[in-house]
Amino acid sequence: MSELTGIVNIYKPAGYTSYQVVAEVRKILSCKKAGHTGTLDPAAMGVLPVCLGKATKIIPFIPEEEKEYLATITLGQTTDTLDAEGKILEENQGWRNLNLSDIEAVLQKFIGDIEQIPPMYSAVHHEGKRLYQLAREGKKVERKARRIQIKELELLGVELPQIRIRVLCSRGTYIRTLAADIGEELQVGAHLAELVRSKSGPFTIDNTISLEELRKTGRENILPVDYPLNYPRLYIKKEALNLARNGVTLYRHNFQEIPSRLRDSLPEDGLVSVYSEDLLVSISRIYFKDNNNFECKPLRVLNIERSNK
């Protein structure tokens, strides 16, 4: 049997690390190589795409700039980890005096480009160690604020002391930090009680599969390797295949029919997916020259059959 290649969009259950989910997928599918995109905290649930076999080569090219989360926040309690797993540091009954308009007004303040300080219990590196390692040692260090974007922040429900929100945000956003910051702005404190990732780039919660379902269906739910790639597709001529497979720069004459408005359809980074029939040969970058000619330089040679399972 050929090497298993493709992507499975797993619904990560609470209590599993992202690594444990990958290990379970490998075991279920008897797959030697697998890797996930976008780590989720052990307590979090939801979308966790797992790339299998040669599909791990495309992980750096999967668009993940936009993520969506469904979060439950407990007001009136702050914890050392900013979530329900941590030790309660302070309690405040001020949440009893909050009304809907108070909460909605505060949420509006977080929409747009904001500065966010990574939590101590996170995987961010500091002088060769992960922050969570330092936190477990009882240490607290200065962290630099990061610029993130909250594109949408919607209040889904209020059952005080808890509120439920939907967050559409940029990659690198810490929802635990957002929960704590919302509580601070409301002057009552807060922590993240529950988190579900409902979207990660092109992967959504609607087409996830649980580990239990994967055990029953096996390879039936494996997505093709190029499922998440949204770059323009260019097809090379047969005589150019060996050049492409060996990572040689290609030119306009090496390709079949080129879209007339290719330059206009390219993303800002100029990336394209290069194919030979059903073979995804490479992810490449186009550099336009005079008279609409171009060079197509490979960033990652893949040589993966898109239907290979």
Side-chain angles (χ1 to χ4, degrees), residues 32-100:
K32 293 182 179 180
K33 189 175 183 181
H36 66 78
T37 74
T39 303
L40 274 175
D41 288 341
M45 300 170 280
V47 174
L48 185 69
V50 178
C51 294
L52 312 169
K54 291 181 180 179
T56 54
K57 293 182 178 181
I58 72 162
I59 290 177
F61 301 99
I62 295 176
E64 288 189 302
E65 286 309 307
E66 188 172 87
K67 296 178 184 288
E68 183 184 75
Y69 296 91
L70 306 176
T72 300
I73 299 172
T74 297
L75 303 176
Q77 284 186 343
T78 59
T79 69
D80 57 353
T81 59
L82 310 186
D83 63 15
E85 302 290 304
K87 177 184 176 182
I88 296 175
L89 301 177
E90 188 175 347
E91 296 195 63
N92 186 321
Q93 296 297 311
W95 60 266
R96 297 181 183 276
N97 302 318
L98 295 174
N99 57 46
L100 185 62

Side-chain angles (χ1 to χ4, degrees), residues 117-154:
I117 298 175
M120 277 301 302
Y121 282 88
S122 66
V124 175
H125 278 97
H126 177 82
E127 297 181 354
K129 275 193 172 184
R130 302 279 189 180
L131 285 180
Y132 66 77
Q133 293 174 314
L134 296 173
R136 287 170 182 167
E137 295 170 7
K139 299 176 182 178
K140 189 174 183 178
V141 299
E142 193 77 20
R143 287 100 68 204
K144 290 184 179 180
R146 296 179 171 187
R147 196 154 190 82
I148 55 105
Q149 185 181 46
I150 305 295
K151 300 179 181 180
E152 296 176 15
L153 184 51
E154 178 186 3

Side-chain angles (χ1 to χ4, degrees), residues 1-6 8 22-35 50-56 219 222:
M1 185 180 293
S2 61
E3 180 184 13
L4 183 62
T5 296
V8 58
V22 172
E24 194 66 23
V25 169
R26 288 179 56 196
K27 180 180 177 182
I28 293 170
L29 298 177
S30 301
C31 180
K32 293 182 179 180
K33 189 175 183 181
V50 178
C51 294
L52 312 169
K54 291 181 180 179
T56 54
R219 304 186 176 197
I222 296 177

Side-chain angles (χ1 to χ4, degrees), residues 7 37 51 54-65 171 201-203 225-231 267 269-273 280 282-285 297-302 304:
I7 304 170
T37 74
C51 294
K54 291 181 180 179
T56 54
K57 293 182 178 181
I58 72 162
I59 290 177
F61 301 99
I62 295 176
E64 288 189 302
E65 286 309 307
R171 182 179 185 177
F203 297 96
V225 67
D226 57 358
Y227 173 84
L229 302 180
N230 57 3
Y231 307 124
D269 53 17
L271 296 188
V272 295
S273 299
L280 175 57
S282 68
I283 304 295
S284 300
R285 177 172 283 130
K297 296 185 177 181
L299 297 180
R300 178 70 60 89
V301 176
L302 302 168
I304 304 173

